[in-house]
Amino acid sequence: MALNTNSILLKRLQQAHLIDFQQSSKLLLEKSQQYQTIADFLISEQLIQPQALADAAASFTLLSSMDLDFFEIETIPEQLRNEKLIRKHHILPLSKRYKTLFLAVIDPTDMTSLEDFEFNTGLNAEMVVVEFDKLHKAIDKLFDTKVTDSFTETQWDLAKMGLACSDEEETKISGSQSEDQPIISFINKMLHDAIRKGASDLHFEPYETSYRIRFRIDGILHEAASPPVALSTRLSARLKVMSRLDIAEKRVPQDGRIKLKLSQKKSVDFRVSTLPTLWGEKVVMRILNSDSAMLGIDMLGYEAEQKQLYLNALSQPQGMILVTGPTGSGKTVSLYTGLTILNTEETNISTAEDPVEINLPGINQVQVNPRAGLTFPSALKAFLRQDPDVIMVGEIRDLETAEIAIKAAQTGHLVLSTLHTNSAAETLTRLLNMGVPAYNLASSVTLIIAQRLARRLCNHCKTTEQIPEQEALKQGFTAAQLPHLKLFKAVGCDHCTDGYKGRLGIYEVMPITGQIAASIMQGAYSLDIAVQAQREGFQNLRQSALKKALAGLTSLAEVNRITKAGDHSADKA
């Protein structure tokens, strides 16, 4: 959803020199698709603080302001708790007096939202300005409390649990499901919460005497709910109906997809996987966020020199770019970002994926289907007869796929793909072990990116951390860095999860230079290639992660979680 660039609030803030005109205009042009409201944009991009925004908005409009920390959420009348309307506009009804509805707002110049509340309630609205973060916290508290209270074990009425589902492909999230459908309401609430909290996966897990729902947030699983175990089969059945899977088949795994429509212009896709376990079917849902593919390379966390190496490789008419790392390390986003840069009217791009996670308009995406004979190799062979400029292979899993991809890279095509290896140098060893000749690797591979995702420290609560010099040197910091060493650690607050909020990329970007190509031809081991990359000044994963810690973006504990403390051993070679 694009922002309203003609926002009165934005213009008033710029005119009052409360935000930088050039910076805000540039960022708005680049990122208008990422945010729903101007307030979201201003706060997320740290152009203004919540308190300053509230003070300015109240001053401009001559409205009263209030501190929601001193407001009792429980006093909000039940008839005003329209979750769909509240979350849509980020406005909280506080109370009703006769024919007047009092609303807590962030942007009092947004008259469209005001009119929507008046239309839905039949009341005249009066606004009170509040702080952005406190409003979101109050809304979450209101509906989190409501769900907790509504789904206690004693209130689950099994006789009323209808599992009726629309035949429409898109299932709308709604906060006002009828009382005789608590399963539907509960699952919709879980999906909604997962999206709001920035989760990447949801796990619905049955056990002998309990049932657990967990969200993976910033790479770590957290328990979100624990409904009665008696509801296990009904929860899995509802999820399977939504995914268009066979609800009668419980003996084998199944894969499906859900498209949830959040608003007229925004929807979210879920990839659904079921697995028969000892105590019932476990269901795991991966949230496929198409917005992540549109972040732009500047948002991925590359160092300036690393970004330039990637852009240089993308600008080549032929060759192979490989992105490596474990599952969940952000490889797909890195590849899709590259494809987005290449996606022009003059370029024919084809991809073979398993599965197709994000739909990219203008790109020919193929879902491989081994049962039907559509494999990575067969798709690649077909691509080469389709006049391609750029080919993306979801993963190089075997020698046949590798050979066809390398042939394409040597015959005038740019090829992008992934492997599951721990470092850039080990990627070459993996391909050699598959049976790819060294001379083919040296002549076709142009760039290898190894990556991880590290949790980002919360700016609201992070605090400094002191470590002894000897320990710092042991961790991989250099003597030159010690005088300027300033590290931070996680604490935890209402704004984050365990002291972290969001993630950032950690990268090792290794181009295949003449010296590295010569090492490959000479049969060098991965460690030898890594040493050569260090000599040529290319940072490994550990060095890149420590640099992020020095910048205060992540903690040393997080660096050690995602990289080995010994990964800097080649630095001194």
Side-chain angles (χ1 to χ4, degrees):
M1 179 184 295
L3 294 180
N4 174 19
T5 55
N6 295 317
S7 164
I8 297 173
L9 178 63
L10 182 64
K11 290 181 178 178
R12 296 294 296 272
L13 291 170
Q14 290 172 335
Q15 291 167 358
H17 304 292
L18 292 172
I19 58 175
D20 182 88
F21 178 82
Q22 290 185 336
Q23 182 187 17
S24 58
S25 299
K26 179 176 180 293
L27 286 172
L28 186 62
L29 183 64
E30 292 175 354
K31 304 177 180 182
S32 64
Q33 298 291 333
Q34 296 179 30
Y35 299 108
Q36 184 172 348
T37 68
I38 285 295
D40 288 328
F41 164 72
L42 294 172
I43 300 298
S44 298
E45 295 299 327
Q46 299 183 350
L47 296 175
I48 193 170
Q49 294 300 311
Q51 179 67 59
L53 177 60
D55 291 344
S59 175
F60 294 153
T61 55
L62 301 179
L63 290 172
S64 301
S65 61
M66 70 175 292
D67 188 342
L68 281 177
D69 281 346
F70 298 97
F71 178 75
E72 296 183 1
I73 301 297
E74 297 77 12
T75 63
I76 297 176
E78 189 67 31
Q79 64 269 27
L80 299 181
R81 302 186 184 193
N82 185 332
E83 183 175 3
K84 186 176 181 181
L85 189 64
I86 290 170
R87 292 197 185 277
K88 176 183 177 183
H89 296 297
H90 306 284
I91 290 176
L92 182 65
L94 301 174
S95 62
K96 184 185 77 166
R97 187 178 303 164
Y98 302 110
K99 292 287 185 178
T100 301
L101 177 65
F102 293 91
L103 301 174
V105 303
I106 304 165
D107 180 3
T109 68
D110 182 6
M111 301 310 296
T112 301
S113 298
L114 182 70
E115 290 168 359
D116 201 2
F117 267 89
E118 290 182 332
F119 176 80
N120 278 275
T121 61
L123 301 171
N124 298 318
E126 286 194 16
M127 295 181 286
V128 179
V129 181
V130 297
E131 293 174 49
F132 177 90
D133 50 348
K134 292 182 180 180
L135 177 60
H136 281 263
K137 180 180 175 182
I139 291 173
D140 290 344
K141 181 179 178 182
L142 174 66
F143 292 108
D144 283 347
T145 300
K146 179 180 176 183
V147 169
T148 302
D149 292 344
S150 299
F151 291 96
T152 58
E153 185 165 353
T154 56
Q155 291 174 312
W156 283 99
D157 186 349
L158 299 180
K160 294 182 178 180
M161 289 181 184
L163 292 174
C165 179
S166 169
D167 287 336
E168 297 177 357
E169 280 191 19
E170 297 182 349
T171 305
K172 290 188 177 182
I173 289 181
S174 171
S176 57
Q177 298 285 351
S178 60
E179 291 183 358
D180 63 342
Q181 293 181 317
I183 286 283
I184 296 174
S185 294
F186 180 71
I187 287 181
N188 282 345
K189 180 63 181 175
M190 288 294 98
L191 302 187
H192 192 152
D193 282 353
I195 295 168
R196 176 172 51 80
K197 292 178 180 179
S200 60
D201 302 85
L202 299 85
H203 292 239
F204 292 78
E205 304 170 309
Y207 298 99
E208 182 178 12
T209 60
S210 64
Y211 193 96
R212 179 173 65 179
I213 299 174
R214 293 190 289 175
F215 297 165
R216 187 176 292 279
I217 302 173
D218 298 336
I220 305 295
L221 284 168
H222 300 271
E223 185 166 330
S226 183
V229 68
L231 305 178
S232 172
T233 56
R234 293 180 178 272
L235 288 168
S236 61
R238 170 61 184 169
L239 291 168
K240 289 166 72 174
V241 167
M242 294 173 71
S243 311
R244 296 188 172 277
L245 301 177
D246 184 355
I247 62 173
E249 180 56 78
K250 302 178 181 180
R251 300 165 298 173
V252 297
Q254 297 187 66
D255 295 308
R257 204 174 179 110
I258 296 174
K259 190 179 195 69
L260 289 171
K261 191 169 184 180
L262 302 177
S263 65
Q264 288 288 345
K265 296 183 179 179
K266 184 174 179 61
S267 59
V268 174
D269 288 332
F270 292 79
R271 191 179 76 215
V272 182
S273 171
T274 70
L275 179 70
T277 69
L278 187 61
W279 305 109
E281 287 183 285
K282 175 178 178 177
V283 182
V284 175
M285 308 175 71
R286 166 67 57 90
I287 299 177
L288 307 176
N289 186 1
S290 59
D291 291 343
S292 62
M294 308 303 175
L295 288 176
I297 194 169
D298 291 326
M299 296 294 292
L300 298 186
Y302 286 97
E303 301 293 338
E305 60 274 14
Q306 293 177 331
K307 181 183 79 169
Q308 194 57 52
L309 288 171
Y310 190 17
L311 292 175
N312 290 344
L314 289 171
S315 67
Q316 299 301 311
Q318 66 184 57
M320 180 181 289
I321 299 172
L322 297 172
V323 181
T324 78
T327 300
S329 60
K331 300 187 299 296
T332 299
V333 172
S334 286
L335 282 179
Y336 281 12
T337 300
L339 291 177
T340 302
I341 293 171
L342 296 169
N343 189 14
T344 64
E345 183 181 348
E346 299 83 14
T347 307
N348 178 20
I349 304 176
S350 295
T351 73
E353 306 172 60
D354 184 21
V356 175
E357 294 195 1
I358 298 174
N359 177 36
L360 295 178
I363 293 177
N364 308 293
Q365 296 175 272
V366 174
Q367 167 77 56
V368 300
N369 185 355
R371 290 183 179 179
L374 181 56
T375 61
F376 281 124
S378 63
L380 280 174
K381 290 176 182 177
F383 289 167
L384 293 175
R385 295 190 291 269
Q386 292 273 316
D387 185 30
D389 298 300
V390 179
I391 294 172
M392 195 270 271
V393 189
E395 182 182 350
I396 294 178
R397 298 174 178 173
D398 50 47
L399 178 59
E400 185 180 7
T401 305
E403 287 179 335
I404 300 172
I406 286 172
K407 179 181 177 182
Q410 292 173 331
T411 55
H413 307 92
L414 183 61
V415 179
L416 293 81
S417 190
T418 72
L419 281 92
H420 288 91
T421 57
N422 292 323
S423 69
E426 289 178 32
T427 302
L428 296 167
T429 303
R430 174 69 58 84
L431 290 170
L432 288 169
N433 290 339
M434 281 185 185
V436 178
Y439 61 84
N440 275 342
L441 287 181
S443 63
S444 60
V445 179
T446 56
L447 185 75
I448 302 175
I449 301 172
Q451 65 181 75
R452 302 289 188 276
L453 288 177
R455 290 181 293 173
R456 186 187 293 269
L457 281 169
C458 172
N459 287 326
H460 290 91
C461 65
K462 67 181 182 181
T463 186
T464 55
E465 178 182 25
Q466 301 295 329
I467 63 171
E469 288 190 359
Q470 288 302 315
E471 178 62 22
L473 292 171
K474 183 180 178 182
Q475 290 291 335
F477 293 105
T478 64
Q481 292 172 327
L482 293 182
H484 313 287
L485 192 65
K486 186 177 182 180
L487 301 176
F488 293 85
K489 63 181 179 180
V491 178
C493 66
D494 292 339
H495 299 276
C496 64
T497 303
D498 299 332
Y500 298 95
K501 187 173 180 63
R503 290 193 285 180
L504 69 156
I506 306 294
Y507 303 95
E508 175 186 7
V509 181
M510 187 182 79
I512 306 303
T513 63
Q515 287 295 325
I516 292 176
S519 298
I520 297 170
M521 293 294 293
Q522 293 165 10
Y525 292 107
S526 59
L527 181 59
D528 299 323
I529 295 171
V531 169
Q532 180 59 40
Q534 289 286 295
R535 289 185 184 134
E536 297 188 40
F538 304 122
Q539 292 180 356
N540 61 26
L541 279 168
R542 179 74 181 183
Q543 292 168 325
S544 295
L546 291 174
K547 198 168 183 179
K548 293 292 194 297
L550 277 175
L553 299 175
T554 191
S555 66
L556 184 58
E558 183 67 3
V559 169
N560 287 330
R561 187 181 72 86
I562 64 168
T563 66
K564 298 177 184 177
D567 282 353
H568 60 281
S569 58
D571 300 355
K572 305 179 183 64

